[in-house]
Amino acid sequence: MDGRAEDRGRVYQASGDQHITEHHHYGGQPAAPRGPDSVRRPAVGRPPVVLRDRAEVLERLRASARTRRGGEVYVLHGMGGCGKTAVAYTFFQQATGEFGRAGLWVGAADRASLRAGMLAVAADRGADDGELLAARNGLRPAADLVWQYLDRSPEPWLLVLDNADQPEILRDGHWLRSSPGGIVVVTTRRSAPHWWPGARLQHIGVLPREDAARVLCDLAPHSGTREQAAQVAERLGRLPLALTLAGGFLSQQVLDPWTMETYGHRLDEGERVELIDQGADALSEQDPRHTVGLTWQLTLDAFEARGLSEATALLRLLSRFAPEPLPLSVLDRAEIDGVVPRSRCESALRALLDQSLTELVDVGVRCAQSHGVLLDSVAAAAPEQQVPVLDTTAVRLLDAAVPAVPDAGPHDPLLRLLVPHALALLRRVQDPRASADALAVVTRLTVALHRTGEYLSAWETARAAADLGESRLGAEHRLVLAARSRAGRALFRLGRYEEAESLLAHVRAVQERQFGPRDPDTLDSCHGLQLVLGNLGRRDEAIALLRATIAGRRRALGPAHPLTLRSRASLLVLLPAARVVAEDGGALLSLPAECARLLGPDHTVTLGAHHNHAWALYLLGRFDEADQELRLVTEAYLQRFGPDYPIALSAQQLLSRTRAARGHMDEAIALMSDVVARRERAMGADHPFTVAGRQLLDEFASGRRQPPPA
């Protein structure tokens, strides 16, 4: 991560394990992240026309919102499709509109979405960029930061944690807490009380007969009588999701409209479509969720009859992904032609929207989202002969959405939106070749997360991907090992050095046995392992491994390859000053110029080489040269990452040293004061980085700091 008091183990400052891209764009300010996570808008498409038969639970929730007090946690539980989110949405609107509470909505279906959403809550409640960055980097507990700001909130709030069907995620991160400042509402399919200690559990079931009939009449008022609607509702098990799909179908028929009586007859004639409701209890033969498959199958049959086969194909393609917001940009690509002609994708999506088979949601970027019960049933019923092309197309779409060569940069929330879909696809795919392709995409996504400082998400995603890949491809498959290696690199960035060493050493040993010591994957793990060894204080081992990595990369990739140059740049901080001068016949000290000539002056590796070179010059007592070089590096980092990014603070700390060594003590104190203040805000006063920075600042202030010997 960052160097401590003496800036040793400064591999992080060199961008040491950054992947390479040939294109950089700089401006006067760091690039703003695209599509920021929005927690003020519920991730719900079309709200229910009328919420039927939920008066009792809504009144209980409203009673808690009327007062200024907080501290309550409500858990709305029930089977998939019963309308838990609709209840939460209606209460959200009432709490914000009638009672003036700040409404905060977070998707809790997976770890990445939950963490991103909760950090967006912290930002909404006043957390600054430095604090958020430290939480994403794993430098401070993210949940503590969020609840600290919720507790301090000047206005009462409502926090909805939607689709928390894996409550262990909430428990592992200690994300679910109560606060006197607000009310928490959780929607989940998991009702076991041990998951929700201290919470008020509220079951949300199917609708009574009369209310279910009213829902159908609300959605399709001209399709039949109340009694006919009641008969159809009974046939659909009075499940709100099934009623919504049926009502959407009936309301959209124009040329040859169906009556409710006709719809009921077709349901009686239909064959049951197998349904998997993940996260809930096993389905009985009478379970109303079975009827969801019948409702959408009738809709798809109507699509085929009307010449809208593309809508059917698009829904089956969507079923390869997760029931989470999917950026529309993922679908708007030429790669979709394998399933739906791109020119017909708009009309196909519109047909699905009209029939309530998917919804548009806005989470800072426009997305499509379908219900999990629907997607599971559609996926299970997809014709076997179509599955390979569906899987291949889904992989290609995600492949096009993930940066081809991830590079360091500011936080990009679009990457987080892709995580649940990438993992869902990896779970769906069964064919080994498609599984391998999907695993390669997910691993590259973890690299992209890593590059933007999302180390926890990178580790969790890489670990999950490796486990899923192992079940399909085997523990020693090249891509499974590559995913494990990425997990080890993320552990290193999280400061979990012993775990990182164990994992990377194991992966390297298997890769060396399977592919040989000069294989690029083996060498990549070697580079990651030497970073860990250097930070564990085992410098001689790290140097030996790094030399072997450089030699291997020279042979495998060539001396001008960015990865070869990157490994050479690491030597600048790992070698003692006296050995730097003699290394490689004296050529190591000219490495920044070589990188600039081969890669360009703004390349990631070039900037890292300049940073490390400045450290070497500082140790050699060449303070003027080090100071000049660091000024350029610091400015580049500030423009690219912003002032709170660890690598920018690391460069600024070293710049304060060179300023002090040249006798500009006032400027050195000002620079280090800013570093300490930013670290204190981001990580707290007692964090080792903050303490080390404060010690250096105290030395500057007392005039006791002496430059290192030349």
Side-chain angles (χ1 to χ4, degrees), residues 5 15 35 41 54 106 174-175 200 213 232 287 362 370 372 390 397 405 418 432 461 482 489 603 664 679 699:
S15 306
R41 296 189 297 271
R54 306 304 187 197
V106 173
H174 198 32
W175 288 107
R200 301 186 184 186
V232 172
D287 196 295
D362 189 344
S370 300
L390 291 171
L397 287 170
V405 189
L418 299 178
T461 305
R489 300 283 278 271
H603 196 283
H664 304 291
R679 285 177 174 165
E699 292 177 359

Side-chain angles (χ1 to χ4, degrees), residues 670-689:
L671 288 167
M672 269 313 298
S673 295
D674 183 60
V675 170
V676 171
R678 291 182 184 279
R679 285 177 174 165
E680 191 165 285
R681 284 197 304 271
M683 297 178 281
D686 297 327
H687 193 280
F689 293 176

